Amino acid sequence: MVNTDFERIYLNQSKSNGRMRIADSGLGWKASGANNANSAPFLLPSEELLAVQWSKGSRGYELRVQTKNKGVVMLDGFDEEDFTKLKQELQRNFHLTLEHKEHSLRGWNWGKTDLARNELIFQVNNKPNFEIPYSSISNSNLTGKNEVAVEFNLDNGHLQAGDELVEMRFYVPGTVEGETKTVKTEEGEEKAETEEISAASVFYEQLKDKADIGQVAGEAIVSFSDVLFLTPRGRYDIDMYPTSLRLRGKTYDYKIQYNQIERIFSLPKPDEAHHLILLQIDPPLRQGQTRYPFLALQFSKEEELELELNVSNEEYESKYKDRLQKTYDAPAHLVMSHCFRGLTERRLVVPGSFQSRFLQPGISCSLKASEGYLYPLDRCFIFVTKPTVYIPFSEISNITMSRTGGGVSASRTFDLEINLRNSNQSHIFGSIDREEQESIEKYCSEKGIRVKNEEKIAKAMLAKAMNEAGDDDDDEDVDMGSAADDDDESADDDFNSGSESDVAEEFDSDAAASDSEDSGKEEQDDRPPQKKAKN
């Protein structure tokens, strides 16, 4: 058996190169150098090979291998001289003809789409312009009457090297003929009518089937129907598989890998009638330009759910015995949260020791113009539901409480401002009942979070200022009192010395008996001098 090796070949656009080998049993690739210890060799059996193509690639020339069950395998980094040798080896070992494909370089953005077995091919002038493997497509949606959006997987397990293409939109004009239905006219005659369907919706449905967006290979372990989502708004059916879940709505379908789910929150609403389940996902879901990093599911507390896992007893014993129950008969939110925790193997975050004055884990408040509930949990604050804001304690610098004072003119509510570390950003939660202030302040202090109460600080500053002013007033009163006593004594002496003669002269009975001339002279003498007339 003769093996043929090619050095410095990149597998599926990987960032590290390796060695590719062609043998009778199939194709193999193994990373070279320091990456050899961390990566397992990639093997492609000969029975999986369907077709091979040769074309210009990003690192030289590329070999594209179409397989039966493993999609498209891309091997990049060949030299132009390798074509002849590669063609002979593929023909000798697998009886496959290596086709030479030239890409269109016209630069047009209009053409035709070909939904092949393993990839979507966009052709311009009967030449491929670009190819999109179905395995790279994470979601597709109808964003308009004639527009289809295709979303891509972001990382595929590799480290990001810069900007990535996350979405592409196809404008598909026109209509196509649909099913022919027989209808009765007013005269009672039967008439065949052909329904017209937009070409965009036909392309969307075909792409969903090819890329497994609408369904996943295999049967779901557990399914939930008609679940109410607050974000994104609507009702969705949930199908949960071993490694991913599917959301199926009237307009949008989503596929979410379990490794995208970072946290699961199970929170009772303070209205005592509903229960919330929050899923924090990264990368977030997208609807056009809108991103949803949190999915909010709402259940009625009275809603009961009874179901059985769609797995065999042997599979349940070997895989899910320690994580799930075989059958469930409990409130819907408990069943859902238990299934999420068991399949994703993520920790379920539930309310901690905080309780409001109504003995609830959350308090009613507002964030800007949005009303919702703020939950002080063991390690974070979380505000629900629009927008959902997650604030871990490790990112909090301090908390400021304002408008907390009493009095006749005081408000019945106060504001809670959470300032973040190493940032000027803050979150201000308003319209909180003032009776909750003491419990929140105590809870934050127990968690080691610095709390500033503006009203207490203002009162302390005012009391300090008044004490200082009072001390100054006491000193001034002592000095002013002694000076005032001296002034009073001197004033009394002066008054007594001249008081008798003045009073006697002014009010003496003889003064009324004086003649008119004397009195007139006295009056004339006592008049103030007249002002000089202005010239």
Side-chain angles (χ1 to χ4, degrees), residues 462-504:
L462 180 60
K464 182 179 179 181
M466 292 180 66
N467 290 335
E468 292 177 354
D471 295 339
D472 295 341
D473 290 343
D474 292 341
D475 296 339
E476 291 179 1
D477 289 343
V478 173
D479 298 337
M480 292 297 293
S482 59
D485 293 340
D486 296 339
D487 292 342
D488 290 342
E489 290 177 359
S490 60
D492 291 343
D493 294 340
D494 295 340
F495 176 77
N496 292 333
S497 61
S499 61
E500 294 179 358
S501 60
D502 292 340
V503 173

Side-chain angles (χ1 to χ4, degrees), residues 23 69 100 185 207 262 398 474 497:
N69 302 306
H100 190 280
T185 61
L207 183 60
E262 295 185 336
N398 58 69
D474 292 341
S497 61

Side-chain angles (χ1 to χ4, degrees), residues 443-460:
Y443 188 79
C444 293
S445 299
E446 292 175 354
K447 296 299 180 181
I449 302 174
R450 291 191 304 161
V451 181
K452 298 179 181 179
N453 192 319
E454 289 186 350
E455 194 68 26
K456 289 184 178 179
I457 294 174
K459 286 183 178 179

Side-chain angles (χ1 to χ4, degrees), residues 305-356:
L305 198 60
E306 183 178 353
L307 57 85
E308 182 177 358
L309 298 186
N310 186 26
V311 294
S312 62
N313 293 331
E314 295 78 9
E315 186 178 5
Y316 174 76
E317 291 291 334
S318 61
K319 294 182 179 180
Y320 306 110
K321 182 179 180 180
D322 298 332
R323 296 185 288 164
L324 299 173
Q325 299 179 14
K326 191 67 170 64
T327 59
Y328 288 93
D329 186 6
H333 64 88
L334 293 178
V335 177
M336 179 72 75
S337 58
H338 195 269
C339 290
F340 273 127
R341 184 181 62 180
L343 291 173
T344 63
E345 296 185 290
R346 295 289 191 271
R347 177 175 173 267
L348 184 66
V349 181
V350 296
S353 59
F354 176 82
Q355 285 188 336
S356 68

Side-chain angles (χ1 to χ4, degrees), residues 96-349:
L96 295 176
T97 302
L98 183 59
E99 302 178 13
H100 190 280
K101 288 282 187 180
E102 291 186 3
H103 284 80
S104 175
L105 304 177
R106 291 178 177 268
W108 294 357
N109 66 340
W110 66 92
K112 295 182 179 180
T113 55
D114 180 16
L115 297 174
R117 179 186 178 91
N118 296 314
E119 58 187 352
L120 184 155
I121 304 173
F122 187 80
Q123 296 181 341
V124 174
N125 201 22
N126 295 325
K127 290 184 179 180
N129 186 271
F130 59 84
E131 301 92 358
I132 304 176
Y134 296 139
S135 58
S136 299
I137 298 176
S138 64
N139 192 33
S140 178
N141 287 301
L142 274 169
T143 56
K145 184 178 180 181
N146 300 107
E147 192 174 66
V148 179
V150 179
E151 299 177 16
F152 304 115
N153 299 323
L154 292 187
D155 52 10
N156 288 327
H158 301 298
L159 296 176
Q160 295 185 4
D163 294 336
E164 293 186 66
L165 180 64
V166 297
E167 185 182 72
M168 181 182 293
R169 296 196 178 191
F170 294 92
Y171 178 77
V172 188
T175 58
V176 296
E177 292 184 355
E179 297 180 356
T180 301
K181 297 181 180 180
T182 302
V183 296
K184 289 186 178 182
T185 61
E186 296 179 356
E187 292 79 9
E189 298 178 356
E190 293 185 353
K191 181 181 179 182
E193 288 188 356
T194 303
E195 182 183 5
E196 289 190 349
I197 307 174
S198 67
S201 61
V202 174
F203 172 73
Y204 166 67
E205 294 294 337
Q206 292 176 351
L207 183 60
K208 277 207 313 180
D209 294 337
K210 288 285 186 180
D212 284 340
I213 295 172
Q215 58 187 2
V216 177
E219 295 185 355
I221 297 174
V222 62
S223 297
F224 303 91
S225 60
D226 204 30
V227 179
L228 175 61
F229 279 69
L230 301 182
T231 53
R233 189 74 182 179
R235 289 187 175 273
Y236 291 84
D237 295 338
I238 303 177
D239 298 326
M240 304 187 74
Y241 298 88
T243 59
S244 63
L245 64 89
R246 181 77 60 192
L247 302 181
R248 293 182 287 108
K250 294 182 179 179
T251 306
Y252 296 97
D253 291 346
Y254 296 101
K255 177 183 178 181
I256 302 174
Q257 299 291 339
Y258 290 148
N259 55 17
Q260 288 181 247
I261 300 176
E262 295 185 336
R263 293 177 183 85
I264 306 171
F265 298 87
S266 180
L267 306 172
K269 257 190 169 182
D271 61 5
E272 298 185 355
H274 299 92
H275 197 97
L276 295 175
I277 294 180
L278 303 178
L279 304 179
Q280 184 181 5
I281 57 176
D282 184 31
L285 291 188
R286 295 168 56 90
Q287 284 187 6
Q289 300 298 322
T290 307
R291 298 159 61 93
Y292 293 100
F294 286 90
L295 305 184
L297 293 69
Q298 179 171 285
F299 300 88
S300 173
K301 288 188 176 181
E302 299 178 354
E303 182 181 356
E304 297 284 335
L305 198 60
E306 183 178 353
L307 57 85
E308 182 177 358
L309 298 186
N310 186 26
V311 294
S312 62
N313 293 331
E314 295 78 9
E315 186 178 5
Y316 174 76
E317 291 291 334
S318 61
K319 294 182 179 180
Y320 306 110
K321 182 179 180 180
D322 298 332
R323 296 185 288 164
L324 299 173
Q325 299 179 14
K326 191 67 170 64
T327 59
Y328 288 93
D329 186 6
H333 64 88
L334 293 178
V335 177
M336 179 72 75
S337 58
H338 195 269
C339 290
F340 273 127
R341 184 181 62 180
L343 291 173
T344 63
E345 296 185 290
R346 295 289 191 271
R347 177 175 173 267
L348 184 66
V349 181

Side-chain angles (χ1 to χ4, degrees), residues 71-90:
V72 181
V73 177
M74 294 171 283
L75 295 161
D76 196 5
F78 293 96
D79 295 329
E80 188 175 3
E81 294 78 15
D82 294 332
F83 175 75
T84 304
K85 183 179 180 181
L86 195 59
K87 182 177 181 180
Q88 293 175 353
E89 293 297 324
L90 292 171

